[in-house]
Amino acid sequence: MTGSKPQPPWRVGVLFSSTGVTAAVERTQQAATLLAIEEVNASGGVLGRPIAPVVLDPASRPPRYRELAKQLCDQAGVAVIFGCYMSSTRKAVLPVVEAHRALLFYPTLYEGFEYSPNCVYTGAAPNQNSVQLVRYLTSHFGKRLFLIGSDYVYPYESNRIIADLFRQAGGEVLDEMYVPLRVADIDMPKVIRRIEAAQPDVVYSTVVGDGIARFYEAYGDAGFDQQTHPIASQSTQEAEIAQMSARAAAGSITAAPYFSTLQTPANLRFVAAWRKRFGTGLPITACAESAYFQVMLYAQTLERAGSDRLEAMLPHLHEHEFDAPQGRVRIDQENHHTYLWPRVARVDAQGTFQVVDDPGLRVKPDPYMYENRFDPLAGRPA
């Protein structure tokens, strides 16, 4: 007697960098993606078929992301890609997935002001982190701001939004500067001199990758005290904190929907599964959490659609929720961004983010900032 022919797996692309300037955080995103795929497969896969990841390393270089995205679509035959950290890499991949009628799941906070029917944005939009962060900073530290960022699209746009929000709160931007992505090219003494001359209440940093730790160390070495004059940064997560001394990190502030110290039942399960799979050496980041839950949202969508083709998937993306470690999440039908749970946290003396502001509210994504920009609850669902 012959059995029925086994169904092929659902092949997906996994496009995160394990080498290069942003490898520290992207390794956590790749790990979370694979953990979620393993969990889905252990529960029987989707419609009886396992998910098969095709993992490639674009080495933190936007042109390489584009090349590998084409390889995934043309040669590996994938219709869905999980990947990208920097906005420059997302923008490199989007034309490829659009041309191939594929779908990109993008699990990183970003500058907003974008929509593509071929992209699902599961990281925070500016109304889900920047608004809450500015509200906290201006309430607790003052309204004199210094802006610094890496020299590419996300820092310029994010700094513009933060500057607008500070001014709406009655604050002022004292100075703004940008540094190269390559750590070796950063003139850190010049950065410190500019900050010393400005004497801000708060420094907002959109430096990314390996330059983050170097900047924080230099800031502390120059005598700045983060307890009174903190660095606030949404691009600094647990992976980057692990690259610097506890002294340099203590007191710094970020806003994100997720921190590994959350005590939700879903997060306790997630952290336990992470530690069992990867040990204690790999940090858990907000970008990793969104990389994890977006696989689950994909699996739920695929279950309903019965096909991973774009035309089949799109009508079902918004029909369901998932109990993510941060709280229940779902994709917005209008803009393909995700309902998230904004929080503000500060690094303690042990180098751990401790939540200092948690309204306990899920906020509707508003990537174009149509609502009142300085209302942290604007756009939240009823």
Side-chain angles (χ1 to χ4, degrees):
M1 187 172 77
T2 59
S4 60
K5 184 179 179 181
Q7 291 291 304
W10 305 102
R11 291 166 67 83
V12 298
V14 179
L15 202 56
F16 297 109
S17 296
S18 54
T19 58
V21 67
T22 55
V25 66
E26 293 197 54
R27 279 194 290 263
T28 73
Q29 293 177 298
Q30 181 186 100
T33 302
L34 297 178
L35 175 63
I37 290 173
E38 289 168 6
E39 290 183 0
V40 171
N41 289 344
S43 65
V46 180
L47 301 174
R49 298 164 59 181
I51 300 172
V54 182
V55 181
L56 300 175
D57 175 17
S60 306
R61 295 188 291 114
R64 189 62 176 150
Y65 280 84
R66 182 182 297 109
E67 294 167 5
L68 294 182
K70 278 184 60 63
Q71 179 178 320
L72 286 168
C73 293
D74 289 336
Q75 300 176 26
V78 307
V80 173
I81 296 174
F82 302 107
C84 303
Y85 176 73
M86 290 188 291
S87 285
S88 55
T89 65
R90 182 191 72 256
K91 288 182 179 295
V93 167
L94 275 179
V96 177
V97 295
E98 289 170 349
H100 288 79
R101 300 200 60 76
L103 188 61
L104 171 68
F105 280 80
Y106 176 64
T108 307
L109 73 148
Y110 87 115
E111 65 279 0
F113 297 90
E114 181 180 286
Y115 165 78
S116 169
N118 298 75
C119 186
V120 175
Y121 306 78
T122 59
N127 78 304
Q128 297 169 315
N129 53 17
S130 296
V131 170
Q132 295 77 11
L133 181 61
V134 170
R135 175 173 170 264
Y136 184 83
L137 294 174
T138 55
S139 299
H140 291 82
F141 296 100
K143 298 181 178 181
R144 292 164 48 83
L145 178 68
F146 184 99
L147 296 168
I148 181 172
S150 296
D151 188 13
Y152 78 103
V153 59
Y154 166 73
Y156 285 102
E157 290 302 307
S158 183
N159 286 355
R160 177 183 61 80
I161 292 167
I162 291 288
D164 285 349
L165 292 170
F166 253 82
R167 293 185 183 110
Q168 288 179 30
E172 62 176 322
V173 177
L174 305 174
D175 199 359
E176 180 174 0
M177 69 180 301
Y178 294 88
V179 298
L181 272 171
R182 275 174 34 94
V183 177
D185 295 336
I186 300 176
D187 185 350
M188 201 57 69
K190 180 180 179 180
V191 172
I192 296 302
R193 288 194 300 270
R194 292 269 291 268
I195 297 174
E196 289 173 337
Q199 290 297 302
D201 298 319
V202 175
V203 174
Y204 178 69
S205 170
T206 47
V207 176
V208 302
D210 295 339
I212 293 174
R214 186 176 175 194
F215 171 50
Y216 279 53
E217 296 286 357
Y219 188 77
D221 290 344
F224 289 101
D225 184 356
Q226 290 220 53
Q227 298 305 318
T228 56
H229 295 79
I231 299 172
S233 173
Q234 292 158 162
S235 56
T236 302
Q237 300 180 29
E238 288 85 348
E240 291 80 17
I241 294 297
Q243 294 180 312
M244 64 184 79
S245 66
R247 174 194 61 83
S252 59
I253 298 170
T254 194
Y258 172 81
F259 297 96
S260 61
T261 50
L262 296 178
Q263 295 300 299
T264 67
N267 187 49
L268 296 176
R269 292 192 298 270
F270 174 60
V271 171
W274 182 283
R275 300 298 183 214
K276 181 179 179 180
R277 178 66 173 80
F278 305 112
T280 59
L282 187 66
I284 309 174
T285 66
C287 289
E289 189 255 0
S290 52
Y292 172 82
F293 77 66
Q294 71 178 16
V295 173
M296 300 305 188
L297 289 173
Y298 155 78
Q300 289 178 332
T301 303
L302 185 59
E303 184 86 28
R304 291 168 178 262
S307 167
D308 61 1
R309 300 297 104 179
L310 181 70
E311 294 79 4
M313 296 275 284
L314 286 182
H316 301 285
L317 281 171
H318 63 280
E319 292 179 342
H320 45 82
E321 298 189 346
F322 177 71
D323 187 17
Q326 65 174 273
R328 294 193 70 81
V329 298
R330 71 179 177 90
I331 299 165
D332 186 87
Q333 183 177 6
E334 296 176 354
N335 57 42
H336 282 199
H337 291 64
T338 308
Y339 284 75
L340 301 173
W341 300 78
R343 298 169 170 98
V344 178
R346 199 167 193 193
V347 179
D348 64 17
Q350 288 71 48
T352 301
F353 279 112
Q354 301 294 342
V355 175
V356 293
D357 184 27
D358 185 354
L361 294 167
R362 186 171 74 169
V363 173
K364 174 182 170 66
D366 181 19
Y368 291 94
M369 303 285 276
Y370 290 129
E371 302 285 350
N372 180 353
R373 290 188 178 191
F374 202 65
D375 179 1
L377 306 184
R380 65 183 174 90

